[in-house]
Amino acid sequence: MKKLLSFKSVIIFILILLAGSCSETENRGLNQNVNDEIMYDMPVDGNGVKLKEDKQQTIYIDDPVDNTEGYDKIVENVFISTKDEATSTFSIDVDNASYSNIRRFLDYGELPPPDAVRIEEMINYFDYTYPEPHGEHPFSIITEISDAPWNTEHRLIHIGIQGKRIDNADLKPSNLVFLIDASGSMEDANKLPLLKKSLGLLLDELSDKDRVSIVVYAGAAGVVLESTPATEKKAIKKALDKLSAGGSTAGGQGIELAYDICQKNLIQDGNNRIILATDGDFNVGMSSNEEMVDLITEYRQKYDIYLTICGFGMGNYKDDKMEQISNAGNGNYFYIDSEKEAEKVFVKDIRANMFTIAKDVKIQVEFNPDYVLEYRLIGYENRVLNNEDFDDDKKDAGELGAGHTVTAIYEVITTNSSLVTDLMNLKLRYKPIKSETSILLEQKVKSSDYIPLQNTSNNFRFSAAVASFGMLLRGSSYINKFTYDDAIKLTKDSYNKNDEYQVEFLSLLQTAKSLVK
């Protein structure tokens, strides 16, 4: 009996220790004391599991958890008869979060949910070799017309935009606010630990003209680092390294404080930007998608401040919330699943992602009903505008970054007429950075611009391959009998073997093919 009691005592003692450990885990990190003072401790290791590791990247995958990820419903654009409506209008989209999120699913051995697939973000993840702009406007525009690979009776109209590149000497000083989610849900290795490494990469790219503030939020929001010259890298990295995860998620309060801090340290004619890093799982205070969009819209209209959103993690990832508030906040949106992706966002593409050269960029296409019978825009479902919005300078649209390329593709059904005629009138509006009055550009596209698919540019064929991949993942009704093998063949015929991201795309296509049952 004494031995049995002794054994029970040991079990009880172990349970007490475990309970204390759980309590400590819940309370560590960012906390709010009775005086509402924000505190933070030394970093705590996450509990993610490395899926694969090579010289280029480490991709982190969580232990299996209940999946509460959120995605907005996407209703695929349908064909529209030009007899009913010959004009199509949409905002550009330079986000690419959807592509890296799709990659995360495929690397984990799963096909993504269809609503996680935004085809325009897949296409615009990649760089294309469009001609550099010359003259007064900050971008060039090209078009190309050929057959649709998945339906040779249809044609694709490829529209490409190349933003002007900026030299380092011409970069404006930056006033950056790192708005960091340090709540309990950010503990995993692919969240706060990866987030800190990512922002560290960005910090190394900043110049002596730049300044950084750090705002964190969990159960409450607080300023961890007041505006500090980017030259003081040790102090900034020390503040980042000390952050750890704990508590609930008062995202709305954090956003309000970040805008206040950014406005307080505003640099006139500078690059004033908030970088929000989160899994999007807000659960205290303002937290609904509608509330967050309204909040961001209010600040966008009030301040000349841009918003960059970087999503992290899986399992509870709220893509729907982050995509909506990015669209509302003069911003861009990325999903960071690895250190390699962080390097792409904050090092390779830093000028395109952090420095805006044109605001509220809208595209309007007027099809000639005598030649085009029906048309549909591939992707951009949540960027479609009313036709009257094109001339309305109060209507918000997407921003174009320095050196950015933007690609849009229409699939059209044409008549069999061999007469040379205008196929469409392409119009584009944008606002210069310091102006609230838009500038209109127009160019005609003729039916005689058509060329056979085999004679098209690699830009045309590769972007069509990416579009077909998105359609396959979404189970599009317009993909016909086009298969993964067809998409792989089209990719091999057009991809740049020296571009690591296009090479990776081919690998992801092959992975997706292996997962289809």
Side-chain angles (χ1 to χ4, degrees):
M1 189 69 177
K2 283 178 82 175
K3 286 184 180 180
L4 181 60
L5 286 173
S6 176
F7 178 76
K8 284 184 177 180
S9 299
V10 170
I11 294 298
I12 292 170
F13 179 71
I14 291 173
L15 289 173
I16 290 171
L17 286 177
L18 288 173
S21 175
C22 290
S23 175
E24 181 182 355
T25 300
E26 291 174 357
N27 291 314
R28 70 189 172 204
L30 180 70
N31 294 298
Q32 184 180 19
N33 67 11
V34 292
N35 296 317
D36 291 333
E37 180 182 3
I38 300 300
M39 309 287 290
Y40 57 93
D41 304 320
M42 293 302 292
V44 179
D45 290 338
N47 58 7
V49 178
K50 291 181 181 179
L51 175 67
K52 66 178 185 180
E53 182 172 356
D54 55 32
K55 293 181 180 179
Q56 292 182 318
Q57 67 173 326
T58 301
I59 295 176
Y60 298 98
I61 297 298
D62 287 331
D63 291 324
V65 294
D66 292 335
N67 192 316
T68 61
E69 296 192 8
Y71 298 95
D72 276 336
K73 179 70 176 176
I74 297 176
V75 179
E76 186 175 28
N77 288 331
V78 300
F79 277 102
I80 298 172
S81 169
T82 53
K83 291 182 179 179
D84 298 328
E85 180 56 75
T87 302
S88 172
T89 307
F90 64 99
S91 162
I92 69 163
D93 187 358
V94 296
D95 299 344
N96 56 43
S98 179
Y99 179 81
S100 47
N101 190 31
I102 290 167
R103 179 177 61 209
R104 182 255 298 187
F105 276 100
L106 294 175
D107 282 330
Y108 193 43
E110 296 180 4
L111 291 171
D115 290 328
V117 180
R118 293 187 288 274
I119 296 178
E120 74 279 6
E121 294 187 21
M122 296 178 65
I123 294 170
N124 287 320
Y125 182 86
F126 302 96
D127 292 327
Y128 299 91
T129 54
Y130 300 141
E132 294 294 327
H134 300 286
E136 59 179 311
H137 302 296
F139 47 81
S140 63
I141 308 170
I142 66 98
T143 58
E144 199 169 355
I145 308 165
S146 189
D147 301 314
W150 48 86
N151 189 335
T152 55
E153 295 181 358
H154 295 180
R155 292 186 175 173
L156 296 186
I157 302 172
H158 177 113
I159 302 170
I161 298 174
Q162 173 65 63
K164 183 179 180 180
R165 302 178 196 277
I166 298 178
D167 293 331
N168 284 341
D170 297 326
L171 293 178
K172 297 177 179 179
S174 293
N175 161 37
L176 302 180
V177 177
F178 295 170
L179 175 56
I180 298 173
D181 180 352
S183 62
S185 68
M186 291 292 291
E187 186 178 16
D188 296 334
N190 59 357
K191 295 184 180 182
L192 187 58
L194 179 58
L195 181 162
K196 291 191 285 188
K197 291 178 181 177
S198 301
L199 293 180
L201 290 173
L202 171 59
L203 183 61
D204 289 337
E205 296 299 309
L206 299 182
S207 74
D208 56 5
K209 300 181 294 183
D210 304 326
R211 302 185 67 86
V212 172
S213 309
I214 300 178
V215 173
V216 294
Y217 64 90
V223 179
V224 166
L225 184 75
E226 294 286 355
S227 183
T228 301
T231 51
E232 298 183 23
K233 287 183 171 55
K234 286 186 178 180
I236 299 172
K237 287 188 175 181
K238 183 178 180 181
L240 280 174
D241 289 342
K242 283 187 175 181
L243 295 177
S244 61
S248 51
T249 316
Q253 187 180 352
I255 289 170
E256 289 178 317
L257 181 56
Y259 271 99
D260 289 344
I261 293 297
C262 198
Q263 179 65 20
K264 175 183 173 183
N265 299 287
L266 196 76
I267 298 175
Q268 293 298 325
D269 296 324
N271 174 36
N272 298 285
R273 184 176 296 269
I274 294 169
I275 299 174
L276 168 58
T278 178
D279 59 14
D281 195 6
F282 304 158
N283 55 28
V284 173
M286 285 183 291
S287 59
S288 72
N289 290 4
E290 184 178 356
E291 287 175 320
M292 299 306 296
V293 167
D294 288 345
L295 176 64
I296 294 294
T297 301
E298 178 185 346
Y299 278 109
R300 185 197 75 227
Q301 295 169 343
K302 187 177 179 181
Y303 298 139
D304 186 20
I305 294 172
Y306 293 92
L307 175 67
T308 292
I309 297 179
C310 297
F312 293 83
M314 62 183 293
N316 66 329
Y317 187 65
K318 298 298 184 285
D319 173 84
D320 53 346
K321 189 183 303 294
M322 289 185 279
E323 208 253 342
Q324 286 186 33
I325 63 178
S326 168
N327 290 348
N330 278 351
N332 42 23
Y333 169 34
F334 308 97
Y335 176 77
I336 297 179
D337 60 335
S338 65
E339 292 175 41
K340 178 182 175 183
E341 183 64 17
E343 185 174 350
K344 182 180 188 297
V345 172
F346 290 130
V347 180
K348 176 182 176 292
D349 296 337
I350 184 171
R351 291 172 184 79
N353 296 335
M354 298 292 145
F355 295 93
T356 301
I357 60 172
K359 302 186 300 183
D360 295 336
V361 183
K362 308 170 190 173
I363 294 175
Q364 186 168 82
V365 176
E366 296 170 337
F367 291 101
N368 178 1
D370 293 333
Y371 186 77
V372 177
L373 300 176
E374 297 181 47
Y375 64 89
R376 77 179 193 95
L377 178 61
I378 298 178
Y380 290 92
E381 282 84 3
N382 61 3
R383 292 288 189 158
V384 172
L385 300 173
N386 296 323
N387 290 333
E388 60 268 24
D389 293 336
F390 184 73
D391 294 324
D392 183 359
D393 281 351
K394 294 182 179 178
K395 184 65 177 180
D396 184 53
E399 278 61 51
L400 182 69
H404 247 144
T405 60
V406 177
T407 302
I409 301 173
Y410 279 95
E411 182 176 0
V412 300
I413 303 173
T414 63
T415 66
N416 294 322
S417 173
S418 60
L419 295 176
V420 175
T421 183
D422 289 340
L423 186 154
M424 68 184 200
N425 185 34
L426 174 61
K427 300 196 295 187
L428 188 145
R429 279 194 181 275
Y430 78 95
K431 294 176 187 173
I433 291 301
K434 293 302 177 182
S435 175
E436 293 305 316
T437 302
S438 66
I439 295 174
L440 174 65
L441 304 177
E442 292 188 68
Q443 69 181 55
K444 298 287 186 182
V445 180
K446 294 188 176 297
S447 60
S448 57
D449 293 339
Y450 165 85
I451 55 177
L453 183 61
Q454 65 268 23
N455 295 337
T456 57
S457 68
N458 287 339
N459 292 329
F460 185 99
R461 296 194 307 282
F462 182 76
S463 64
V466 179
S468 71
F469 186 24
M471 292 165 68
L472 286 164
L473 289 173
R474 287 192 51 77
S476 170
S477 59
Y478 302 111
I479 198 66
N480 293 324
K481 296 181 180 180
F482 200 79
T483 66
Y484 277 98
D485 284 330
D486 294 323
I488 290 169
K489 183 176 183 299
L490 185 59
T491 301
K492 287 181 176 179
D493 185 47
S494 59
Y495 80 117
N496 181 353
K497 298 177 180 61
N498 296 318
D499 184 326
E500 62 179 317
Y501 302 103
Q502 293 193 16
V503 171
E504 179 189 58
F505 172 78
L506 177 59
S507 174
L508 292 180
L509 255 178
Q510 293 165 334
T511 298
K513 176 191 171 184
S514 71
L515 295 173
V516 175
K517 297 177 181 178

